Amino acid sequence: IVKGVNPSDIEPISPYIGNLLVKSYFKSRFIKTYPSVKVMGRQEYLDYRISQYNESITKLNNYIQALEDEISGYYGRIQSEKTKIANNQSIISESTSSRDSYYNSCVSAGYYFYGYYYHYYSQSYCDNQRAQWDAIINKANQNISDLSSDISTTQSYLYQDQEADKEAKSYVSYIESAKDQTPQELGVFEPDNNIKVAVDETSPNVVVDYFETLTHEYLHYSSYVDKDKTFTYNFFEEGLTEIGRAHV
């Protein structure tokens, strides 16, 4: 009969107790051995978890700030390139007008002499002058095409950052909410193989709480594969683990 739980006494054997509790139900399944288990006093555990949450929130806020700086830069880049497009459109409009005016003046410039009209400039000269304007217009059109392509690419980066920003802010809210629930926590599993269990030695249910928490967190440990093979939402992870613990 276990009448009490002393953290320093129970900690060395907790990995084995957790393994035996889980294995007793899942007899036909392989159960991983053995995680690192830290049994902590209630206040020590709370301080640890709050510090952990605050550290995560700080890192996320720094990440969010970096994203928003980048988003601001993307907006500035897009606006700058839109201004350049407008400038190139003005160049096209002005150059087209000038090209047609100069060309018409070139081919029509001359004088009459004894019933004959003599041109000041040859047709090839006028065509060459027109081609120079065409080159300016073509260059401006190419600039517009390049700038439009860059805007499209920048907008895709902007969208990705905006989605990441929303997701990060949502996760900060989730962590803040989880931090508020910390006083109700009794344990946590930290990948790949660390379990923290809080023991409130003043609680009349300290023994039951210890066994239940150790079993729950050991199930997390035993079912963990890697960070890329986890549930998208913690709700499913916790729910299925709690069902498993209830059976144990």
Side-chain angles (χ1 to χ4, degrees):
I1 297 175
V2 180
K3 296 182 178 181
V5 175
N6 184 307
S8 61
D9 291 338
I10 204 73
E11 184 175 280
I13 60 173
S14 288
Y16 308 97
I17 294 174
N19 181 263
L20 289 171
L21 287 168
V22 174
K23 188 182 288 185
S24 68
Y25 183 79
F26 297 100
K27 294 183 175 65
S28 62
R29 302 295 298 271
F30 168 75
I31 304 300
K32 288 197 296 187
T33 57
Y34 291 102
S36 170
V37 180
K38 175 69 174 176
V39 181
M40 312 166 77
R42 186 74 181 129
Q43 190 57 50
E44 180 188 9
Y45 177 83
L46 288 174
D47 291 344
Y48 170 77
R49 289 292 280 156
I50 293 299
S51 174
Q52 191 180 44
Y53 281 132
N54 287 339
E55 182 179 351
S56 295
I57 289 170
T58 297
K59 288 181 179 178
L60 278 168
N61 282 334
N62 289 339
Y63 172 62
I64 288 168
Q65 185 60 57
L67 280 173
E68 292 185 346
D69 288 345
E70 194 166 58
I71 287 170
S72 178
Y74 286 145
Y75 275 124
R77 180 172 178 173
I78 289 170
Q79 186 56 51
S80 173
E81 291 179 335
K82 284 182 176 180
T83 300
K84 290 178 181 177
I85 286 175
N87 290 339
N88 277 274
Q89 288 171 334
S90 294
I91 290 172
I92 291 171
S93 177
E94 292 169 5
S95 296
T96 300
S97 177
S98 296
R99 178 199 64 185
D100 294 343
S101 175
Y102 283 126
Y103 180 76
N104 291 334
S105 295
C106 182
V107 296
S108 62
Y111 60 95
Y112 280 99
F113 186 73
Y114 289 107
Y116 290 97
Y117 191 79
Y118 294 90
H119 292 277
Y120 286 132
Y121 308 106
S122 67
Q123 183 65 43
S124 61
Y125 175 82
C126 293
D127 289 343
N128 181 63
Q129 294 299 305
R130 180 185 178 91
Q132 291 182 36
W133 285 109
D134 284 339
I136 294 172
I137 292 167
N138 291 338
K139 177 62 176 175
N141 276 318
Q142 184 60 53
N143 289 343
I144 290 173
S145 177
D146 292 342
L147 289 165
S148 296
S149 176
D150 195 61
I151 286 175
S152 179
T153 300
T154 304
Q155 285 175 331
S156 69
Y157 292 149
L158 174 62
Y159 175 76
Q160 291 172 15
D161 275 7
Q162 287 172 328
E163 290 300 302
D165 185 60
K166 287 192 289 187
E167 186 175 342
K169 287 177 178 176
S170 175
Y171 198 53
V172 168
S173 297
Y174 167 77
I175 293 176
E176 291 283 6
S177 176
K179 186 168 71 170
D180 292 339
Q181 298 301 314
T182 303
Q184 282 73 55
E185 278 188 12
L186 290 174
V188 64
F189 165 66
E190 299 173 337
D192 296 338
N193 65 341
N194 294 302
I195 290 174
K196 302 286 193 300
V197 178
V199 170
D200 183 356
E201 296 176 76
T202 65
S203 170
N205 299 318
V206 60
V207 176
V208 174
D209 289 343
Y210 164 74
F211 282 122
E212 286 187 347
T213 304
L214 180 61
T215 301
H216 179 97
E217 302 307 333
Y218 202 102
L219 283 166
H220 277 304
Y221 160 71
S222 190
S223 63
Y224 179 78
V225 178
D226 61 54
K227 64 180 181 179
D228 296 321
K229 295 181 179 180
T230 57
F231 287 105
T232 301
Y233 299 103
N234 198 47
F235 167 82
F236 295 107
E237 174 74 23
E238 289 299 326
L240 290 172
T241 302
E242 189 59 18
I243 290 172
R245 183 206 60 76
H247 284 297
V248 175

